[in-house]
Amino acid sequence: MWAKTSPTAAPRLSIVTPTRNAPHLLDRLFDSLIRQSCNEFEHVLIDTSADMRTQERWWRDFARQLDGRFRYARVPLPSPDMAAAFEYAFAQARGSHVCAMTHKAMWRSDAVENIHRILDRYPELPCFAFKSLYLNMDIHTVPTGVGSLPQCQFGTSWDGVAPLRFRSYDLFAENVRLFGDHGYGGPHVATHLRMPFACHAVYSAELLDRVRTRYGALVADRFAGDSRLGFRVMDLEEDVHVFPDFEPRVSSMHSNTGAAGSQLNSWTYLCHVFETLSSETKQIISRSPFGYLPLWCVMTYWELFSVVGEARGQLRMEIEYPAAQVRAVLLAEIANLRNIDETLRAGLRSHVDAIVSRLEGGVLRRWF
């Protein structure tokens, strides 16, 4: 299947991929890594699946044909969440620099080569962010072979242009304001491209150690996802460096890829999660403007709010949630839900009304 390559004893670049219940995504993920023009990396697949299908695929289809640069690890927890997956994945990395690669992505064939070029040119950068090209299709289930989807057709390679530098404080403030104005989406997406989120950045191991020292963990916390690390990096770093035109990967936005966070209709799952929380946490969520929003929205809001609260420099920023907007967004989500009991649907509508009724003067305000 793939040609063998000698393993790297002390890798400069570690690529980590947390995966859950998506063994069908592995072929093209590994294919895009094997096709790299530069072999100086290690890759660690972190399995958090509820069953053994991914592990079986690794040992049956990949382990004997991939070389020593590739490793597999199963998170030693009974039911690991996203935070635990990322925490464990970064802990397994042995390289001086670490980058995450989502399991629903393929990398350009020159991605690793260009990352090394950046590290050579700017060895002093503790972290740099880059873009990812998202396609509204399932790139992993296209019936034709991977040859019809050459990585070089997607995104751009690094052209040698220096990174843009942004003030962390300004990015914090911009995110807070845009969350309040638009929620997750709209103009807020533009700020994502300037954020050192876990799946959109290369981190030095030294920086990750500083994050652990400051916070006790990289991402760990209930509802935490890959955004948490980016927000914490911004708290530590005065400047954020971004290569805005460098797109080393293409990822699928299709909801059938198996990524837990990619499905907008995740309310039912969130309802089950909600029931496992403490009464105090339930009260916090029920009083919030997002209430039973889809899980990926809740995680991102939660991460931004909590990390801004943890940050040493307090932001003097007020965000507003108009009641009509909150109600319209939530009711639209409820109306689009499929395969749920109508009693649950009615209960969710009642919950939305309860949230909106708490908005004094039609607006919920929050200060940082």
Side-chain angles (χ1 to χ4, degrees):
M1 182 184 296
W2 295 300
K4 293 279 188 174
T5 304
S6 299
T8 303
R12 184 189 198 184
L13 177 65
S14 292
I15 304 168
V16 296
T17 300
T19 185
R20 182 174 180 82
N21 300 338
H24 59 291
L25 304 185
L26 299 182
D27 296 87
R28 287 186 171 171
L29 179 145
F30 283 127
D31 192 272
S32 71
L33 290 173
I34 289 297
R35 290 170 178 263
Q36 290 300 306
S37 58
C38 175
N39 294 320
E40 298 179 20
F41 67 91
E42 71 164 359
H43 178 266
V44 190
L45 183 69
I46 305 298
D47 184 8
T48 67
S49 303
D51 55 40
M52 305 302 289
R53 290 179 302 149
T54 299
Q55 181 172 329
E56 291 170 357
R57 280 224 66 193
W58 165 262
W59 291 111
R60 183 184 70 241
D61 301 332
F62 304 113
R64 290 177 295 178
Q65 302 180 64
L66 295 173
D67 55 58
R69 292 174 299 154
F70 294 86
R71 291 186 287 136
Y72 167 89
R74 189 172 176 85
V75 178
L77 295 172
S79 56
D81 56 17
M82 183 185 294
F86 273 98
E87 202 74 39
Y88 190 77
F90 279 104
Q92 298 305 303
R94 299 179 299 189
S96 60
H97 293 79
V98 187
C99 180
M101 178 184 186
T102 174
H103 65 185
K104 53 180 180 171
M106 296 190 303
W107 273 21
R108 297 170 47 89
S109 59
D110 60 356
V112 171
E113 177 182 352
N114 281 287
I115 289 175
H116 279 290
R117 289 176 61 206
I118 293 174
L119 294 176
D120 289 338
R121 180 81 63 86
Y122 302 100
E124 74 284 356
L125 292 186
C127 167
F128 61 86
F130 50 77
K131 292 174 63 177
S132 283
L133 179 63
Y134 287 95
L135 300 181
N136 192 23
M137 62 178 285
D138 192 341
I139 59 178
H140 293 276
T141 57
V142 175
T144 55
V146 71
S148 66
L149 295 170
Q151 286 75 40
C152 60
Q153 291 186 359
F154 299 114
T156 59
S157 60
W158 183 52
D159 58 4
V161 175
L164 297 180
R165 185 172 67 180
F166 298 94
R167 301 277 296 181
S168 291
Y169 181 95
D170 294 337
L171 290 182
F172 261 129
E174 184 177 10
N175 261 264
V176 172
R177 178 181 62 80
L178 290 175
F179 266 115
D181 291 345
H182 303 281
Y184 193 100
H188 162 70
V189 173
T191 67
H192 260 286
L193 302 180
R194 300 201 291 268
M195 296 294 171
F197 286 170
C199 284
H200 301 80
V202 174
Y203 303 91
S204 71
E206 181 272 337
L207 174 61
L208 296 180
D209 285 341
R210 284 198 286 130
V211 174
R212 292 187 183 97
T213 300
R214 161 80 171 128
Y215 291 106
L218 297 179
V219 296
D221 201 353
R222 189 177 294 277
F223 290 135
D226 55 351
S227 305
R228 175 63 62 96
L229 176 57
F231 290 135
R232 287 178 169 174
V233 166
M234 285 193 294
D235 179 31
L236 288 178
E237 294 295 307
E238 181 178 346
D239 299 320
V240 174
H241 295 84
V242 183
F243 293 91
D245 295 323
F246 177 37
E247 295 177 345
R249 73 176 201 183
V250 56
S251 295
S252 172
M253 295 186 69
H254 198 287
S255 61
N256 293 328
T257 58
S262 67
Q263 292 185 322
L264 298 183
N265 290 322
S266 55
W267 285 50
T268 305
Y269 177 58
L270 179 57
C271 290
H272 294 308
V273 172
F274 189 81
E275 291 306 315
T276 68
L277 304 179
S278 68
S279 58
E280 179 182 3
T281 304
K282 288 180 182 179
Q283 287 298 314
I284 293 174
I285 294 178
S286 65
R287 287 196 300 269
S288 72
F290 43 82
Y292 274 108
L293 274 175
L295 184 58
W296 62 277
C297 285
V298 174
M299 289 191 295
T300 306
Y301 276 102
W302 198 279
E303 291 161 17
L304 177 63
F305 292 162
S306 61
V307 175
V308 169
E310 295 169 348
R312 290 165 293 185
Q314 294 298 311
L315 292 174
R316 300 301 176 184
M317 178 71 65
E318 182 182 17
I319 59 177
E320 298 182 349
Y321 299 90
Q325 176 182 324
V326 171
R327 189 173 190 276
V329 170
L330 294 179
L331 290 181
E333 290 287 348
I334 294 173
N336 291 329
L337 287 179
R338 300 184 298 271
N339 302 322
I340 69 166
D341 184 86
E342 290 304 312
T343 303
L344 174 59
R345 194 189 304 273
L348 291 172
R349 290 197 187 100
S350 298
H351 186 70
V352 169
D353 291 335
I355 293 173
V356 173
S357 69
R358 295 191 181 101
L359 302 185
E360 298 179 5
V363 172
L364 183 144
R365 291 182 173 86
R366 178 160 181 165
W367 286 87
F368 291 104

